[in-house]
Amino acid sequence: MQVQAHNGMYIDGAWRPAAGTGTIAVVNPADERVIAHVPAGTAEDVDAAVRAARAAFPAWAATPPGERSALLAALRDALAAREDEIAETVTAELGAPPQLARAVHAGLPVAVAGSYAELAGSHRFEERIGNSTVLLEPVGVVGAITPWNYPLHQIVAKVAPALAAGCTVVLKPAEDTPLTAQLFAGAAHEAGLPAGVFNLVTGLGPVAGQALAGHEGVDLVSFTGSTAVGRRVGAIAGAAVKRVALELGGKSANVILPSADLARAVGAGVANVMSNSGQTCSAWTRMLVHRDQYDEAVELAARAVAKYVPGDRLGPLVNAGQRDRVRGYIEKGVAEGARLVAGGPDAPLDKGYFVRPTVFADVTPDMAIAQEEIFGPVLSVLRYEDEEDALRIANGTVYGLGGAVWAGDDAEAVAFARRMDTGQVDINGGRFNPLAPFGGYKQSGVGRELGAHGLAEYLHTKSLQF
Ligand code: NAD
C-alpha cells in the first residue's frame, strides 16, 4: 500500500512547508517496504508551531467549556468518519492485524475523544472551599510527545483533555507512525478547531522532540515513551520549572492466586501479552503462579500461545531495531538459564520484522527477562511459594504501571491488589475502562491520563478569598 502523506507541517490551521528539507521514510513493518515520506521537522518548525499555539491560547482559554465540548464532539465525529482509513493506516505503518487495528487502534480513540467532549461540558472548572472560590484554569501551551505503539490513542489521550481544559497543543508524534498523526490533524481541521489550537510537527525525537520539550513557550510537556527518554525530558522540564507528565515503561505482574480459575487466567494472560505483538506498556509480561499449579500453567500457556501465528493473528514489531532488541532479550533469557517452552530468537518468516511468540518457564525474579521491559511477544512465567512471596515478586521491579490478580472471588483478589505498587490492576479479568485514570507508580511515570483525572493534569488552580 502506497499511502498519501502531507509533505508539510500542520501549523496555525493550515499545512505549511517545513523549514528544512529532511524527510523521514515510513516503512511497513510487515513487508519492509517504504510506504511514504514525511518531513523531518527542525527547531524552526517547532518554534513556529509553539508561537501559533501561544497566539491561539488566550481566545481558546476564554472559550466557554460548552463550546469547547461541541468542538471536541465534532473532532470525535471526524475521527469516527475516518475509522476505516485510520485502521488501514495503522496496519500499514505499525503492522497491527486488521481486526485489532479497527477495534482498538481506530475505535478506542473515538471513545476517548467522546469522553472528553462530555467532560469538557460537565467538569466543574470552579469550586468553593470555605471562604475561597477556586478557579481551575488551563495551564497554557502543551508540548505533547507520543510513541508509536498505540499511535492514535496516545495522541487523543493527550490532545483531547488538553483541549477540554482550554490548553493549546503542539504535537510531535513518533517517527515510525506519523501518518496516523497526519490523519488526526486532518480530523482536527475538519472539526473546525480555531487556527493554532492544535499544531503538528513531525520529526525525529532528538531534534524536534527535544526542541519541543525545551521550548520556553511551552508550559507543560506531556511525554509518553521509554523511561530513558522520559528521564531526559523530565530533567529538561524540571530545569525550566515547567509542568511535566510522563507515561513510561512497565513490567506488569499477572498474579494467579491458587483459588483462581487457572485455565481462564492463563488464557487471558497470554492474550494480554500477545496483543499488539507485545508492544503495550501495561502488558502483563510476568505471570506469577503458585508452585503447585506451576507445571500445569506452563503447559496451558505453551498451548495458548500456539494460536498466535506470525503474519496472521500476530503482527510484526514496529521496526528492525525493536525486532533485534526483542530477539536479544530472548537470547539473554536462554543464556540466563530460563526454559524456552514456546518460540525462540529465530525469524518465523523471511520478511517483515516478526518475532516468534515466546514463553519462558523457570524464570527467576533476578533475571533480565523478569526485570526489564522487552516490548515484544515474550511472556515470563515465574513460580511463587506463598502469597507474601508473590507480593514480593510482583512489587520487585522499578516499574508499576498495570497488573492483574485472579482469585476465587473478587474480595480475595482486591485484598492482594491493594498491596501492589502499581497504577492499575484488573480484577478477575476486569475490562479496560477508558474513563479510569491510567499511569504509573515508581519509574513507570508521573501523572495520570484519561477521564477526569487526565483532565486535571492540564489545569492550574487559582484561589480567590472572600
Ligand atoms: P521513545 O522514548 O524512543 O520515543 C517516544 C517519543 O519520544 C517519540 O515521539 C520520540 O520521537 C520522542 N523522543 C525520542 N528521543 C527524544 C528526545 N531526546 N527528546 C524528546 N523526545 C524524544 O519510545 P518508543 O520507542 O517510541 O516507545 C516505546 C516505549 O514507550 C516503551 O518503553 C513503552 O513502555 C513506552 N510507552 C509507555 C506508555 C505509557 O502510557 N506508560 C505508552 C506507550 C508506550
Side-chain angles (χ1 to χ4, degrees), residues 145-149 154 172-175 205-206 209-210 223-226 229 233 247-249 281 373 375 401 438:
I145 302 175
T146 55
W148 42 261
N149 62 339
Q154 305 288 4
K172 205 303 282 174
E175 37 275 70
Q210 198 144 318
F223 170 87
T224 297
S226 61
V229 176
V233 168
E247 295 289 343
L248 309 176
C281 44
E373 185 176 56
F375 231 52
L401 189 54
F438 182 94

Side-chain angles (χ1 to χ4, degrees), residues 215-240:
H215 199 292
E216 59 179 19
V218 170
D219 301 294
L220 182 157
V221 183
S222 180
F223 170 87
T224 297
S226 61
T227 298
V229 176
R231 199 173 268 131
R232 291 181 63 165
V233 168
I236 292 169

Side-chain angles (χ1 to χ4, degrees), residues 26 45 100 111 138 145 203 264 293 373:
V26 185
D45 297 302
L100 181 79
I145 302 175
R264 186 164 165 244
Q293 296 168 316
E373 185 176 56

Side-chain angles (χ1 to χ4, degrees), residues 7 13 58 82 92 94 100 103 107 125 155 213 252 269 319 340 343 377 384 390 398 416-417 429 444 458:
N7 66 359
R82 287 168 166 74
L94 177 67
L100 181 79
F125 290 97
I155 290 171
S252 299
N319 59 37
L340 205 48
Y384 68 81
V398 297
F416 191 96
S444 286
Y458 296 94

